[in-house]
Amino acid sequence: MADTRLLQDIQAEEAVVAAIILDDREVVSESVTSLLTPEMFVDGPCRAAYRAYLSLRERKADTTIITVIREWIERGWIDAVDRETGGQGAEPWLADVVGKHWTAYGVETHARIIRDLYERRTQFQQAQVMAREAFEGPIVARGVKVRGLKRYSA
């Protein structure tokens, strides 16, 4: 079985989160939102931060560490984010991410990396399903006629 950790880049995810907090200008917003959806983020806290960002952006509110934390609290996500930071806590985690990635430079490149890896993970998952079905037959079609073929079992 292949190691899917090769199909994720947590640093790129964190860099995008930092960029949208550090530089909430329209040019950054458009370049990121045109490329990414929350589902493309592997890291739970990064996904939650991006969801908060989209919600804040929709309301035309500023995106800052404080407003992202407030959004997590208001949506009831803060406890889950706290748990997913490995005991660091949501607010210290977010401050640490922004401190590590102190510029929005390269945000579009980082967003493209996230999107590319998401597409590759999706292809990998589809290939796994196809491989399983090649050996076992489609899960929903076992014992029934599928595309003119009947699966027989001994």
Side-chain angles (χ1 to χ4, degrees), residues 17-139:
V17 168
I20 60 180
I21 289 173
L22 291 168
D23 192 347
D24 194 20
R25 292 177 299 153
E26 195 62 27
V27 70
V28 171
S29 297
E30 287 302 318
S31 66
V32 171
T33 58
S34 67
L35 292 169
L36 298 177
T37 63
E39 294 74 29
M40 293 178 179
F41 288 81
V42 173
D43 186 64
C46 288
R47 186 180 323 107
Y50 190 70
R51 280 193 173 118
Y53 162 70
L54 292 176
S55 177
L56 291 163
R57 184 175 186 263
E58 186 177 295
R59 296 193 318 263
K60 298 187 183 343
D62 292 334
T63 305
T64 67
I65 291 174
I66 293 167
T67 59
V68 169
I69 298 293
R70 292 294 321 149
E71 191 71 15
W72 287 344
I73 292 168
E74 290 170 13
R75 293 188 174 265
W77 301 342
I78 192 76
D79 291 337
V81 174
D82 275 339
R83 282 191 302 276
E84 290 189 45
T85 61
Q88 184 178 9
E91 190 169 353
W93 173 84
L94 192 54
D96 184 50
V97 165
V98 172
K100 272 196 298 192
H101 306 279
W102 43 268
T103 181
Y105 181 76
V107 67
E108 190 171 333
T109 300
H110 300 139
R112 287 183 192 282
I113 290 168
I114 295 166
R115 186 186 67 187
D116 177 59
L117 292 172
Y118 169 78
E119 290 170 354
R120 290 168 60 194
R121 279 192 312 275
T122 302
Q123 291 168 350
F124 181 76
Q125 291 164 349
Q126 291 169 346
Q128 285 181 312
V129 169
M130 289 173 61
R132 185 180 65 243
E133 287 178 355
F135 286 103
E136 301 171 3
I139 293 171

